[in-house]
């Protein structure tokens, strides 16, 4: 299938002064096919959100590039780029409490993209907002209310309507359910899946919950300290992980189905993810890896295809 979006050796650093910099995303390449859902997993601090924001242009690229339908996007977006690309790429944020302006009505929040990026007139905008409120499971008369009048799940629905109203082709969903009660998580996921089908969307779905990612995604990509360490079909990665980090991450993630839970080895991940400031040479997982070898401490493993399965893994155990 043709790639809709490609990140090519994408790098994003944050300078901290005194010659220190955070290597949030480093030389990361990822290709996402049209109408595909790629789930991106990894601990907090692995750079998942930074990757999502850099891909959609909310953060400038330090180096590397992003292509959308073969067109190389600017390294740094000018206002005209945001204007043009807002109808192609959007982002849904993790926290529906802080991502909605409390001083704007729900109608104003959802309409903002159309006001800025389309030539629709006020009555047509109002009608489109009313339609979108219904599509995300709210009511048209909610447009005159303010965000604080809604629950977390409802606010995320408002965030989804705001992102979808311009009819994007590609959406980064940055932990869209992590801040929600478990009881409403499935409803929001089902809404996203429904919209994916009806709108023919391509999604990068960032999440902590690996079993949810397996359920939602076609492929699963595992990120550790700014780099991808494994990528493959979501089910296959989940049930047959090959990178030591993926094994531990999946082993420590509780499986909601008790039968599946019993069939999986349970492991706990040791220690904290190291600081992404001035990262060491070699494999970045070496300080926590139970299978570390001498070579791992000085040579960075490349993400390479495995011979026996359709998978790419960055680990010296396979080279
Ligand atoms: Fe572990 Fe070495 Fe593989 Fe890194 S390269 S994950 S340290 S075995």
């Amino acid at each position: 299938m043709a790639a809709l979006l490609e990140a090519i050796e994408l790098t994003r650093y944050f300078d901290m002064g005194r010659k220190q910099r955070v290597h949030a995303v480093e030389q990361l390449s990822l290709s996402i096919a049209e109408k595909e859902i790629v789930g991106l997993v990894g601990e907090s601090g692995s750079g998942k959100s930074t990757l999502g924001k850099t891909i959609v242009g909310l953060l400038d690229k330090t180096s590397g590039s992003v292509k959308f339908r073969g067109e190389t996007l600017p390294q740094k977006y000018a206002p005209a780029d945001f204007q043009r690309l807002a109808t192609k790429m959007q982002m849904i944020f993790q926290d529906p409490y802080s991502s909605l302006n409390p001083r704007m009505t729900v109608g104003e929040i959802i309409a903002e993209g159309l006001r800025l990026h389309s030539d629709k007139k006020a009555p047509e905008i109002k009608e489109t907002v009313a339609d979108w409120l219904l599509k995300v499971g709210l009511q048209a008369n909610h447009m005159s209310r303010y965000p604080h009048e809604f629950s977390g799940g409802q606010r995320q629905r408002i965030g989804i309507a705001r992102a979808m109203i311009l009819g994007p082709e590609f959406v980064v969903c940055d932990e869209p359910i992590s801040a929600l009660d478990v009881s409403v998580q499935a409803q929001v996921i089902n809404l996203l899946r429904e919209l994916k089908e009806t709108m023919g969307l391509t999604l990068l779905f960032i999440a902590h919950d690996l079993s949810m990612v397996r359920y939602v995604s076609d492929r699963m990509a595992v990120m550790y300290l700014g780099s991808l360490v494994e990528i493959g079909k979501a089910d296959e990665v989940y049930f047959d992980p090959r990178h030591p980090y993926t094994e531990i991450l999946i082993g420590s993630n509780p499986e909601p189905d008790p039968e599946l839970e019993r069939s999986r080895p349970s492991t706990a991940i040791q220690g904290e993810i190291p600081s992404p400031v001035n990262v060491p040479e070699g494999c970045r997982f070496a300080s926590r890896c139970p299978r570390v070898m001498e070579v791992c401490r000085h040579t960075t493993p490349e993400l390479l295809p495995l011979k026996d399965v359709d998978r790419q893994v960055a680990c010296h155990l396979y080279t």
Side-chain angles (χ1 to χ4, degrees):
M1 227 189 289
L4 179 81
L5 185 123
E6 284 173 277
I8 303 154
E9 299 186 358
L10 192 60
T11 297
R12 170 67 207 202
Y13 296 149
F14 294 97
D15 280 319
M16 316 260 296
R18 296 192 198 162
K19 294 190 179 161
Q20 290 208 318
R21 57 187 186 181
V22 174
H23 296 225
V25 176
E26 187 133 63
Q27 296 268 318
L28 189 149
S29 295
L30 173 66
S31 171
I32 305 180
E34 187 151 14
K35 299 188 185 166
E36 187 183 31
I37 304 184
V38 173
L40 183 64
V41 298
E43 291 161 282
S44 297
S46 58
K48 306 185 299 295
S49 291
T50 303
L51 174 64
K53 287 180 185 154
T54 312
I55 285 177
V56 298
L58 292 176
L59 289 171
D60 301 340
K61 305 158 193 68
T62 302
S63 64
S65 58
V66 173
K67 284 186 181 182
F68 184 81
R69 291 202 182 281
E71 176 203 344
T72 301
L73 303 182
Q75 190 263 343
K76 180 179 177 160
Y77 282 18
D81 297 314
F82 282 111
Q83 172 90 16
R84 185 171 63 89
L85 294 165
T87 56
K88 301 188 190 316
M89 297 186 189
Q90 281 289 333
M91 186 150 179
I92 294 167
F93 296 93
Q94 172 177 5
D95 188 350
Y97 292 89
S98 64
S99 61
L100 305 179
N101 186 336
R103 281 181 286 278
M104 287 166 79
T105 65
V106 166
E108 287 166 345
I109 291 170
I110 299 175
E112 201 175 19
L114 282 183
R115 274 199 306 103
L116 295 172
H117 306 300
S118 80
D119 44 20
K120 284 192 162 83
K121 300 280 177 288
E124 203 185 339
I125 290 180
K126 194 171 173 191
E127 209 173 296
T128 314
V129 169
D131 270 0
W132 268 101
L133 281 164
L134 296 176
K135 279 188 196 161
V136 299
L138 297 169
Q139 294 162 21
N141 62 12
H142 284 156
M143 70 173 85
S144 54
R145 299 208 199 154
Y146 287 87
H148 73 266
E149 298 176 57
F150 294 89
S151 67
Q154 288 173 319
R155 288 186 208 207
Q156 195 53 292
R157 289 172 189 270
I158 295 165
I160 291 170
R162 173 179 62 179
M164 301 297 178
I165 200 162
L166 287 166
E169 294 171 75
F170 174 71
V171 180
V172 173
C173 304
D174 186 9
E175 309 236 14
I177 55 167
S178 326
L180 305 180
D181 287 348
V182 176
S183 58
V184 297
Q185 287 184 352
Q187 296 168 13
V188 171
I189 287 296
N190 288 336
L191 171 63
L192 284 170
R193 281 169 65 113
E194 207 181 290
L195 293 172
K196 189 252 172 199
E197 286 308 318
T198 52
M199 298 173 70
L201 293 171
T202 303
L203 302 180
L204 179 64
F205 184 86
I206 301 173
H208 263 98
D209 181 341
L210 283 102
S211 46
M212 185 62 83
V213 168
R214 176 178 79 85
Y215 170 69
V216 169
S217 315
D218 301 304
R219 280 190 301 152
M220 189 186 293
V222 185
M223 195 166 174
Y224 187 79
L225 217 55
S227 304
L228 287 189
V229 297
E230 180 157 7
I231 181 162
K233 292 202 179 90
D235 268 350
E236 294 178 9
V237 172
Y238 191 80
F239 289 110
D240 179 24
R242 296 296 177 92
H243 192 283
Y245 177 61
T246 317
E247 271 179 43
I248 296 173
L249 198 64
I250 288 172
S252 59
N253 185 69
E255 166 61 58
D257 179 334
E259 261 183 47
L260 282 177
E261 174 65 19
R262 274 193 294 276
S263 70
R264 294 178 331 124
S266 182
T267 40
I269 190 154
Q270 302 293 320
E272 296 286 311
I273 192 165
S275 160
V277 179
N278 302 331
V279 286
E281 264 185 86
C283 173
R284 292 181 173 190
F285 190 53
S287 63
R288 300 166 87 191
C289 180
R291 298 159 80 180
V292 60
M293 303 172 285
E294 189 45 38
V295 62
C296 310
R297 302 202 188 275
H298 51 75
T299 308
T300 307
E302 275 181 67
L303 190 68
L304 296 170
L306 296 186
K307 291 194 178 74
D308 59 333
V309 281
D310 180 16
R311 187 85 54 87
Q312 285 179 286
V313 174
C315 174
H316 289 305
L317 290 170
Y318 303 95
T319 54

